[in-house]
Amino acid sequence: MRTTKIKIRNLFGITETELDGRSVELTGANGVGKTSVIDALRYALTNKSDRDIIVRQGEKEGEILIETDTGLSIDRKKRTEQADYKSVKENGKEVMAPENFLRQLFTPLQLDPVAFTLMDAKSKNRAILDLIEYDWDLNFINDKFGEIPSWINYEQNILEVLSDMQSENGQWFKERQNVNRDIRNKQAFIEDIAKDIPADYQAEKWETYDLGAAYKKLEQIKEHNSRIERARLFRSSYDSKLRKLEADKMIEISAEEKAISTERETLLSDIERMKAQIKASEDKLAGLSGKLEDKKALAESRFNEAKTKLDADMSVADEYTDKQPIDFAELQKEVENAEEMKRHLNEYSRMKGMQSELEELKAQSDEYTRKIELARTLPGEILETAKIPIEGFTVQNGIPLINGLPVANLSEGEQLSLCVDVAISKPNGLQVILIDGTEKLSSENREKLYSKCHEKGIQFIATRTTDSSEMEVHYI
């Protein structure tokens, strides 16, 4: 598709200019309107302009009309006092969604190839990658990666998006580093805890072990054994205790006999000395035997009472004397071991919690790795199905290559030739290149560019600054 008519009126600094379908070079000094022609064409195709003022000073309306050899017409009017007007027709019929329709007719490189040669390497790469035709949207990203990363610029082409995703400067890579650091730290904590926990530690057993019941049983056994020991000691001292009781009885009786004997002697002596008290003394003397019997009976009663208590205690002792003490060494060992094992429970629980967290962190790290690796492998899959407009075009690590060389490594002439190849990559597109500022090119490269456009059947509209005070149109 080539233009057959271009008519510009009151746009930018142009009063009125008309071109036919031939390739032209517009020459003249700065300010004569050469670039205004290029800018007007860009405005017609994109509805965008870098200039603040589009309508020529003093006018209310500016217009550009483009007609092509395929029956396409583009009529765009910029107005200062009413709404803008645009009409895009194909064979006399209005085109639906005209702006989107126009975007399909050209590539950005067609509109400013000279500017392309002056871009930095990153900008050139982006411009070339943008040429890849691959249908994708945010649903594609979400389906592939399970999320739509917020730190990615989605105004880029899909290969740049994927390159940023897998980049070492990307958030996934940094997050994976953070997670892996946490994994190493938790592994170190777990190993530090595990070294103090016995091998084959049975946490469930020691969590449910009733240490209080074991202590109670141990104390019962110890009390049982203590009673046996006390019973045996008590039994072995029975005879000596009985002898003591008998001795206490005899001593008590002897003391009483001695006291009575002394009293008798005193009374007999008193009888002799006190005849007047004989009868009273004799009466008293007569009662002494009864009193002695009472004393004897009391002593006997105390003896019997004590002996009865002793025998009762002995019967209790007899109950345990013949019993065998229970060996509690194993239970004692079990209780001590249980105490030791229970002391590990908190640390064991902490270790198990960390192990669970560790598994979650490993899963996170694996997911980041999956996403990063997917972002690395997807470009290859995309390039297998994507429509690539340039012969010899490949992508390596997000860098576009032309016949194995980065675009930035191509000579100026090769880069301009690449722009022509791009222009003809859309057979049904607009076969026109806008070349502003060819004075920036060497004469050799300028002539090669014009020749290749003619060779490939590409219409070009170029500008070149000269000393002429008027804009001159040279058909080439």
Side-chain angles (χ1 to χ4, degrees), residues 63-268:
E63 179 183 19
I64 178 168
L65 173 65
I66 300 174
E67 295 178 354
T68 74
D69 56 6
T70 62
L72 176 69
S73 68
I74 305 168
D75 187 3
R76 193 182 294 274
K77 297 177 182 178
K78 182 69 175 177
R79 294 164 171 169
T80 60
E81 296 182 355
Q82 56 183 312
D84 295 341
Y85 169 84
K86 69 171 178 291
S87 173
V88 179
K89 295 181 180 180
E90 197 170 27
N91 296 320
K93 295 182 179 180
E94 287 288 344
V95 172
M96 300 297 293
E99 302 297 356
N100 184 59
F101 174 80
L102 292 175
R103 280 196 294 271
Q104 308 306 313
L105 299 181
F106 62 90
T107 66
L109 270 64
Q110 290 176 246
L111 302 187
D112 206 346
V114 175
F116 173 74
T117 65
L118 302 177
M119 291 178 181
D120 58 40
K122 186 174 181 180
S123 297
K124 287 176 181 175
N125 290 341
R126 181 176 294 110
I128 295 299
L129 290 173
D130 282 339
L131 299 175
I132 295 176
E133 295 183 17
Y134 185 79
D135 187 19
W136 70 282
D137 57 17
L138 293 183
N139 289 327
F140 170 82
I141 299 295
N142 194 43
D143 290 342
K144 291 291 185 182
F145 297 95
E147 66 170 304
I148 301 174
S150 59
W151 43 277
I152 296 294
N153 175 14
Y154 293 101
E155 293 180 355
Q156 306 176 101
N157 61 72
I158 183 61
L159 296 183
E160 286 184 300
V161 167
L162 294 173
S163 179
D164 287 351
M165 284 181 175
Q166 60 84 40
S167 168
E168 291 186 6
N169 294 322
Q171 189 169 326
W172 283 343
F173 195 91
K174 293 176 181 178
E175 287 295 332
R176 185 176 66 174
Q177 285 183 316
N178 292 336
V179 170
N180 288 340
R181 182 179 62 252
D182 291 342
I183 288 174
R184 291 192 295 272
N185 291 340
K186 285 201 179 295
Q187 284 176 329
F189 280 131
I190 290 171
E191 290 171 2
D192 186 57
I193 293 172
K195 67 181 175 59
D196 295 325
I197 295 177
D200 301 324
Y201 184 71
Q202 301 175 13
E204 292 183 359
K205 172 182 176 181
W206 302 118
E207 282 178 342
T208 57
Y209 186 89
D210 192 341
L211 193 59
Y215 269 125
K216 183 177 181 180
K217 182 178 180 182
L218 185 61
E219 290 304 315
Q220 288 173 343
I221 292 174
K222 287 183 177 180
E223 175 60 24
H224 174 82
N225 291 350
S226 176
R227 286 188 178 187
I228 292 173
E229 182 64 23
R230 292 198 306 272
R232 289 177 177 177
L233 290 174
F234 191 80
R235 187 172 188 181
S236 65
S237 65
Y238 178 78
D239 292 340
S240 61
K241 289 182 181 294
L242 182 60
R243 284 194 299 272
K244 182 178 183 307
L245 291 176
E246 290 178 339
D248 290 342
K249 180 188 74 172
M250 295 302 294
I251 290 170
E252 184 180 359
I253 291 173
S254 175
E256 293 298 332
E257 287 180 339
K258 183 176 180 180
I260 293 299
S261 175
T262 300
E263 188 176 1
R264 180 182 287 112
E265 290 178 358
T266 299
L267 289 172
L268 290 174

Side-chain angles (χ1 to χ4, degrees), residues 251-473:
I251 290 170
E252 184 180 359
I253 291 173
S254 175
E256 293 298 332
E257 287 180 339
K258 183 176 180 180
I260 293 299
S261 175
T262 300
E263 188 176 1
R264 180 182 287 112
E265 290 178 358
T266 299
L267 289 172
L268 290 174
S269 176
D270 288 344
I271 289 171
E272 292 296 329
R273 288 193 304 270
M274 297 179 294
K275 293 295 185 176
Q277 297 179 354
I278 289 175
K279 189 178 185 305
S281 296
E282 287 178 348
D283 291 340
K284 190 175 182 179
L285 180 61
L288 288 179
S289 295
K291 183 178 180 180
L292 177 59
E293 291 303 319
D294 290 341
K295 294 292 185 181
K296 286 182 179 181
L298 179 59
E300 190 69 32
S301 175
R302 287 176 179 169
F303 168 76
N304 290 333
E305 182 180 349
K307 183 175 181 300
T308 298
K309 185 177 182 304
L310 180 62
D311 289 340
D313 290 342
M314 190 57 64
S315 66
V316 174
D318 287 342
E319 181 182 347
Y320 287 92
T321 302
D322 297 329
K323 292 183 178 180
Q324 292 300 317
I326 299 172
D327 185 0
F328 57 85
E330 285 300 321
L331 179 59
Q332 181 74 45
K333 184 178 179 181
E334 177 184 322
V335 169
E336 291 173 354
N337 182 57
E339 283 183 319
E340 177 66 22
M341 293 300 104
K342 278 183 173 290
R343 278 197 291 270
H344 293 299
L345 278 173
N346 288 338
E347 286 298 280
Y348 179 81
S349 296
R350 189 161 73 97
M351 181 184 73
K352 295 301 290 184
M354 285 187 177
Q355 287 175 336
S356 177
E357 293 171 1
L358 181 61
E359 291 304 314
E360 293 178 2
L361 288 172
K362 286 181 178 178
Q364 291 178 21
S365 178
D366 291 343
E367 178 62 10
Y368 283 128
T369 298
R370 182 192 72 81
K371 292 177 179 178
I372 291 170
E373 291 304 317
L374 179 59
R376 287 173 178 169
T377 58
L378 266 181
E381 298 177 18
I382 288 173
L383 291 175
E384 289 179 2
T385 58
K387 184 177 179 181
I388 301 175
I390 309 168
E391 186 176 350
F393 178 90
T394 57
V395 178
Q396 184 175 340
N397 297 325
I399 304 299
L401 306 177
I402 306 297
N403 296 321
L405 289 177
V407 176
N409 288 15
L410 300 177
S411 68
E412 180 183 67
E414 289 171 326
Q415 291 181 32
L416 291 169
S417 179
L418 174 63
C419 293
V420 176
D421 291 336
V422 170
I424 63 175
S425 65
K426 294 176 177 280
N428 298 322
L430 190 61
Q431 307 290 286
V432 177
I433 291 183
L434 308 180
I435 313 169
D436 190 25
T438 61
E439 74 278 355
K440 300 170 187 173
L441 307 177
S442 66
S443 296
E444 180 183 359
N445 284 336
R446 183 169 62 250
E447 292 304 322
K448 283 183 178 180
L449 175 59
Y450 291 169
S451 296
K452 182 162 185 177
C453 286
H454 282 304
E455 177 189 337
K456 298 294 184 179
I458 300 295
Q459 178 187 2
F460 65 83
I461 299 172
T463 70
R464 180 166 59 88
T465 300
T466 64
D467 294 332
S468 176
S469 59
E470 297 288 336
M471 184 176 73
E472 298 177 353
V473 179

Side-chain angles (χ1 to χ4, degrees), residues 45-61:
L45 295 172
T46 66
N47 194 29
K48 296 177 182 177
S49 175
D50 294 331
R51 301 197 188 191
D52 294 330
I53 300 175
I54 296 177
V55 178
R56 186 170 177 269
Q57 290 281 10
E59 301 294 335
K60 296 180 180 180
E61 177 182 277

